[in-house]
Amino acid sequence: MMLVYSQKITNRLRYTLELVLGKLLGLNFQLTSDTEAYLNFKGAILNYSHKALRENELLIPPSGFLEMRGVKPLVPGVKIINGLSCLFPSSRAGTPLGFDPFSASFYLVSRYEEYLPFKGDEFGRFEATQSLAFKNGFLDVPVVNYYALRIAEALEARFPFIEFAPRQFSFFPTYDIDVAYAYKGRGWFRTFGGVVRSFFSGDFSSIGQRFRVLMNQQKDPFDTYDYQLEMHKRYGLKAYYFFLCGHYGPYDKNISYYSASFQRLVKKINDYAYTGVHPSFQAQDDEKRLSEETQRMKELINRDVRYSRQHYLRLSFPHTYRNLLKNDITNDFSMGYASQMGYRAGICSPFFFYDIEKELPTRLRIFPIAFMDGTLRDYMNLKPQQAMEVIEGIIREIKSLRGVFVSLWHNESLCECGRWKGWRQVYENMMALAGDIQAEES
């Protein structure tokens, strides 16, 4: 047992201590504002205040950020301390860490900066380049996990008897099904339109392929599901699939949720994996549409829908997450950027969404994604071999931190055709490395 002292106890402080000390370090701790109880406690102690109270305590002077309420314009300072980018650096001499790791962690995981006014990209998204992490060069580092390690090292130096509960590396392969099939499951109108477009663009090979698929003479190129399921079986994994069930639109191109092919696919995947909703582009700003799409998924899988990922990774704080909670969705996998690889919330471990406007933690668990296939291929313009090296580095770092590695692929990116030629090898290398590491630690 460890005792943490703070003159003022707030919801922000409780939430952050539960994440950093409880979740990341596995510490059993209590929080108190009772000075006498702190002075008389026998065991490991942490003083989160400006005044030293006992010898050998770990003193972390607070920045004051966790005592604030609501959202106000604020950009914390960033300082490199022993090779790590640290927010809310302390000017006080003699402080062991040199910064306030609790304020820093809360600022990042709460996505405080996304509550402030910003100019969205063409899809209305908060861009990676606008983030404090990108501007200060630490977007690709899960700094919150490293902050926890800094605290652990300082505690162990003072209290060699302290015990941290062991954690293990975990791997969650996830898939967005934006377009279930290239040709199957479309009505005659969309099929005819596709043929006409191919004809006038001179793409006659796709016309032949389309008809061979429709005549059951060839497998649909986007039908990579059996291949994925075989890979999960090989490494003892259970994956997460997110199906787009919205109406057809400019940014929502999936086949109809009424299609027999689509419904058979969802039911099949649901037998082997966790299935969730992939809210459409239109549902991001329309709570009614989100409810309709969630209900469609519920009817298809004949069970409650608990998992989601936003189409185009569109997030609007706090509204997106509030709407998910209203639909009883308790796990979201949208925490990442489309244009940049890295850690949008500065962490490679799951955490609960904290609603800053209400100053309350919620029951919505957020799973940060480590990378998306399209980010590597389309935004970073990496070749398959380069992507393999990047992904290996990500996996090994998350392993060292005992974090959770969440990959994001699409069914079409595993087709071994067109612009995705050669990317199956990237996927297979990832599955082998991450799958073997998880097997070794389980």
Side-chain angles (χ1 to χ4, degrees):
M1 172 66 75
M2 183 178 77
L3 189 64
V4 179
Y5 172 79
S6 176
Q7 285 182 306
K8 186 173 183 180
I9 296 176
T10 65
N11 286 344
R12 291 187 182 188
L13 178 59
R14 288 185 188 276
Y15 166 84
T16 308
L17 294 181
E18 285 291 341
L19 172 62
V20 177
L21 301 182
K23 172 66 177 177
L24 299 184
L25 295 182
L27 282 171
N28 185 13
F29 73 93
Q30 288 186 348
L31 176 61
T32 185
S33 60
D34 186 330
T35 307
E36 186 175 351
Y38 179 77
L39 293 174
N40 294 325
F41 183 78
K42 299 188 184 303
I45 48 176
L46 189 157
N47 180 359
Y48 189 60
S49 76
H50 292 283
K51 181 180 179 181
L53 297 175
R54 291 178 61 177
E55 292 184 3
N56 205 40
E57 68 184 359
L58 175 56
L59 177 64
I60 300 178
S63 70
F65 180 57
L66 299 187
E67 296 180 10
M68 293 171 52
R69 291 184 61 85
V71 181
K72 302 172 184 177
L74 182 149
V75 179
V78 181
K79 183 179 180 181
I80 305 296
I81 302 176
N82 296 326
L84 182 65
S85 298
C86 300
L87 283 62
F88 297 96
S90 174
S91 59
R92 177 172 172 172
T95 56
L97 299 182
F99 74 111
D100 181 350
F102 301 128
S103 289
S105 298
F106 181 82
Y107 180 88
L108 291 168
V109 300
S110 69
R111 303 308 304 129
Y112 190 91
E113 61 188 337
E114 296 194 46
Y115 283 80
L116 299 170
F118 65 88
K119 183 179 180 180
D121 68 2
E122 59 180 316
F123 304 117
R125 299 175 299 195
F126 180 86
E127 255 293 357
T129 53
Q130 301 179 61
S131 68
L132 184 74
F134 180 87
K135 292 175 181 177
N136 287 274
F138 64 89
L139 180 60
D140 60 342
V141 181
V143 290
V144 174
N145 297 79
Y146 284 110
Y147 296 161
L149 290 183
R150 291 279 173 96
I151 295 170
E153 291 167 358
L155 287 170
E156 280 187 306
R158 290 161 176 76
F159 312 104
F161 55 85
I162 196 168
E163 295 184 358
F164 303 98
R167 293 181 298 108
Q168 293 182 333
F169 168 89
S170 297
F171 171 36
F172 298 154
T174 72
Y175 307 86
D176 285 352
I177 312 303
D178 300 342
V179 183
Y181 298 109
Y183 307 122
K184 283 175 57 177
R186 285 155 161 49
W188 285 111
F189 181 78
R190 288 181 64 184
T191 297
F192 177 75
V195 170
V196 170
R197 284 192 299 272
S198 296
F199 179 82
F200 283 105
S201 65
D203 185 9
F204 301 111
S205 63
S206 70
I207 296 176
Q209 185 181 51
R210 181 187 297 269
F211 281 110
R212 286 193 297 274
V213 169
L214 296 179
M215 297 292 290
N216 293 319
Q217 297 174 352
Q218 179 180 331
K219 193 172 187 178
D220 190 288
F222 288 3
D223 184 358
T224 59
Y225 306 105
D226 289 338
Y227 166 68
Q228 297 158 27
L229 295 176
E230 176 57 34
M231 294 296 288
H232 305 154
K233 182 180 179 181
R234 181 183 304 178
Y235 297 104
L237 302 168
K238 194 164 183 180
Y240 293 79
Y241 283 79
F242 303 98
F243 290 92
L244 199 156
C245 296
H247 294 297
Y248 184 84
Y251 303 107
D252 303 311
K253 304 289 189 177
N254 203 0
I255 62 178
S256 173
Y257 47 86
Y258 290 121
S259 163
S261 298
F262 181 74
Q263 294 187 7
R264 282 195 300 268
L265 172 64
V266 173
K267 294 177 187 297
K268 173 183 175 178
I269 295 297
N270 188 56
D271 288 337
Y272 300 97
Y274 300 107
T275 49
V277 66
H278 194 38
S280 67
F281 191 95
Q282 303 169 75
Q284 163 68 18
D285 304 311
D286 190 332
E287 184 182 339
K288 182 179 178 182
R289 283 184 185 268
L290 174 62
S291 297
E292 291 173 349
E293 293 172 19
T294 304
Q295 183 61 31
R296 288 172 195 149
M297 270 301 300
K298 184 177 180 179
E299 292 171 357
L300 282 174
I301 63 177
N302 197 29
R303 67 179 66 174
D304 291 335
V305 177
R306 296 291 184 238
Y307 309 101
S308 75
R309 177 153 56 223
Q310 297 295 302
H311 196 26
Y312 283 76
L313 299 180
R314 298 179 75 212
L315 288 174
S316 175
F317 286 87
H319 312 295
T320 301
Y321 285 156
R322 284 182 182 172
N323 289 341
L324 294 180
L325 284 166
K326 288 177 183 178
N327 284 276
D328 292 323
I329 292 171
T330 54
N331 302 272
D332 185 72
F333 290 73
S334 309
M335 187 56 69
Y337 293 115
S339 63
Q340 295 286 333
M341 186 190 68
Y343 302 93
R344 185 168 180 168
I347 189 171
C348 63
S349 301
F351 60 95
F352 288 101
F353 165 56
Y354 187 97
D355 190 325
I356 295 179
E357 290 185 353
K358 294 182 178 180
E359 290 296 352
L360 289 172
T362 71
R363 59 192 176 95
L364 180 65
R365 191 187 299 271
I366 309 302
F367 290 81
I369 59 174
F371 77 92
M372 179 175 69
D373 50 10
T375 304
L376 302 177
R377 166 64 179 78
D378 300 329
Y379 287 92
M380 298 175 66
N381 296 312
L382 298 184
K383 302 298 183 184
Q385 182 59 44
Q386 295 172 311
M388 290 181 206
E389 295 170 2
V390 167
I391 293 171
E392 180 177 348
I394 293 171
I395 293 172
R396 295 200 181 282
E397 180 170 44
I398 294 177
K399 175 185 181 295
S400 72
L401 294 167
R402 299 295 187 266
V404 176
F405 172 54
V406 180
S407 61
L408 194 174
W409 291 83
H410 295 76
N411 54 302
E412 64 264 33
S413 59
L414 299 173
C415 70
E416 273 300 294
C417 58
R419 64 193 181 96
W420 290 108
K421 190 75 173 176
W423 282 81
R424 272 203 181 190
Q425 189 60 55
V426 180
Y427 172 77
E428 290 179 6
N429 284 13
M430 177 202 75
M431 294 293 285
L433 178 59
D436 286 346
I437 290 174
Q438 177 161 287
E440 290 169 4
E441 298 198 356
S442 61

